[in-house]
Amino acid sequence: MGQPQQPPAPGAKLMPPPGAASAPPPTGPTLQSLAPPPGAPSGPVPLGPGPQVSLPPSATTISPAVPKEIPLSLSARYGRDSAPVNGGVVWRVYPVRPDITGSFRPLREDRTPSPSLALPPGDYVVHVAFGLASAAKTVSLRNEPVREVFDLPAGGVRIEGRVGDARIPHGQISFDVFRGSQFETGDKRQVASGITTGDVVVVPEGTYHIVSNYGDSNAVVRSDIRVQSGKLTDVTVTHRAAIITLKLVGDRGGEALANTSWTVLTPGGDVVKETVGAFPRVVLAEGDYRAIARNEGRTVERDFKVITGVDGEIELLAR
């Protein structure tokens, strides 16, 4: 019996048996290339065990192109079957929903009579203002151009003031316009103020009353008017008043005394005007008055009368 073979000691080299061909020692792990050999047809790369699946080409759906912007044409007219508005309009385009702050901010603004705008598809609120008249509507833009006509039932008012046959000069008179008749009950809403001679005010069709202020005292006239759509209404307000110049002098026909305080009263004692100056000019309605002048501790009074259209000078003698 032969001796049993002992396992090699750790670290000992295993020698091949005599006569066996020696193999070259391994140089490292063997790497497998996934690239196909040169000249081989290309195909799907296997991703693991299982059958290979060839993916069909993806299907492409072609949809009609949506325009980036849609033309929107706008115009306004003086109500149905009336002439178009050819100036003085302001167009504003708003989103239908407020922004994150809760405000509606205009996206576009245009001041031409008939603007042509281009907007992305969507819904908008279009507002047009013409003087004090306005209109608004919601407009939907999809794929086709849109044309919108706005009806503005409005008319114009042009006012001037006169005393007799004489026109009151520009700058001496102003007008305020209120909705409704002066004889109607309730508060009257003011629609325009400080209008000067020759100004044209555009207001919605309806009844209004005008307050005409000649000077800054008591020469005030109220008038009712009717404004029709598409028409310019010329209004002439006639005042019964005159311009009075006040003077306090030391001698008749002498120089006016400076720093004189003046008070003009009605016969009932109501104060009409208070002013300071050597010779103030006061516009007063026709009627009877009393003038009181105060200068350096002296007080002088005088009654006088105002006649329509008769401008004059009231002289007080300081004695």
Side-chain angles (χ1 to χ4, degrees):
M1 292 182 64
Q3 297 292 328
Q5 296 182 358
Q6 297 294 327
K13 295 183 179 180
L14 297 180
M15 302 298 294
S22 63
T27 60
T30 303
L31 301 178
Q32 183 178 1
S33 174
L34 298 180
S42 61
V45 178
L47 301 178
Q52 297 182 4
V53 179
S54 299
L55 299 177
S58 60
T60 302
T61 302
I62 301 177
S63 301
V66 178
K68 293 183 178 180
E69 292 186 329
I70 307 297
L72 173 61
S73 300
L74 303 171
S75 62
R77 61 189 180 186
Y78 296 103
R80 189 177 300 275
D81 301 327
S82 297
V85 180
N86 56 13
V89 293
V90 180
W91 299 91
R92 293 184 177 91
V93 180
Y94 295 88
V96 294
R97 295 179 180 83
D99 58 19
I100 59 175
T101 66
S103 302
F104 287 90
R105 304 179 186 276
L107 302 174
R108 297 284 181 87
E109 181 174 318
D110 198 290
R111 294 177 180 269
T112 56
S114 301
S116 295
L117 309 177
L119 297 167
D123 296 332
Y124 301 90
V125 175
V126 180
H127 179 273
V128 57
F130 179 47
L132 300 174
S134 63
K137 66 171 66 175
T138 301
V139 176
S140 296
L141 301 181
R142 295 297 179 257
N143 296 320
E144 300 294 331
V146 175
R147 177 177 178 81
E148 291 288 346
V149 180
F150 288 71
D151 290 335
L152 288 170
V157 181
R158 184 168 55 196
I159 317 170
E160 71 171 17
R162 289 180 176 270
V163 174
D165 295 332
R167 182 180 181 184
I168 298 175
H170 189 278
Q172 294 184 12
I173 189 170
S174 64
F175 311 94
D176 301 326
V177 179
F178 296 81
R179 184 178 293 277
S181 169
Q182 59 180 313
F183 303 108
E184 295 176 355
T185 59
D187 293 336
K188 307 298 189 301
R189 184 169 67 89
Q190 188 180 72
V191 297
S193 63
I195 304 167
T196 60
T197 299
D199 288 346
V200 176
V201 182
V202 178
V203 294
E205 184 178 34
T207 300
Y208 299 85
H209 74 272
I210 298 171
V211 178
S212 176
N213 301 282
Y214 178 26
D216 58 358
S217 54
N218 67 342
V220 179
V221 175
R222 290 173 170 81
S223 309
D224 278 10
I225 62 170
R226 175 71 184 175
V227 178
Q228 294 180 306
S229 178
K231 294 184 178 180
L232 176 62
T233 302
D234 280 307
V235 179
T236 300
V237 179
T238 301
H239 281 265
R240 299 179 62 84
I243 300 176
I244 302 299
T245 302
L246 302 173
K247 289 178 61 178
L248 177 65
V249 297
D251 299 301
R252 294 192 181 279
E255 292 291 330
L257 300 180
N259 301 320
T260 301
S261 297
W262 294 92
T263 302
V264 179
L265 308 172
T266 64
D270 296 328
V271 176
V272 176
K273 180 70 175 179
E274 290 183 320
T275 186
V276 177
F279 37 86
R281 300 173 77 243
V282 184
V283 178
L284 297 172
E286 186 177 69
D288 296 323
Y289 299 91
R290 172 175 289 269
I292 302 176
R294 299 177 179 88
N295 185 282
E296 296 182 355
R298 293 171 296 182
T299 300
V300 182
E301 300 183 12
R302 177 184 169 181
D303 294 335
F304 65 97
K305 189 179 187 66
V306 174
I307 300 174
T308 297
V310 182
D311 298 341
E313 183 178 278
I314 304 299
E315 184 179 270
L316 281 70
L317 189 60
R319 287 184 179 176

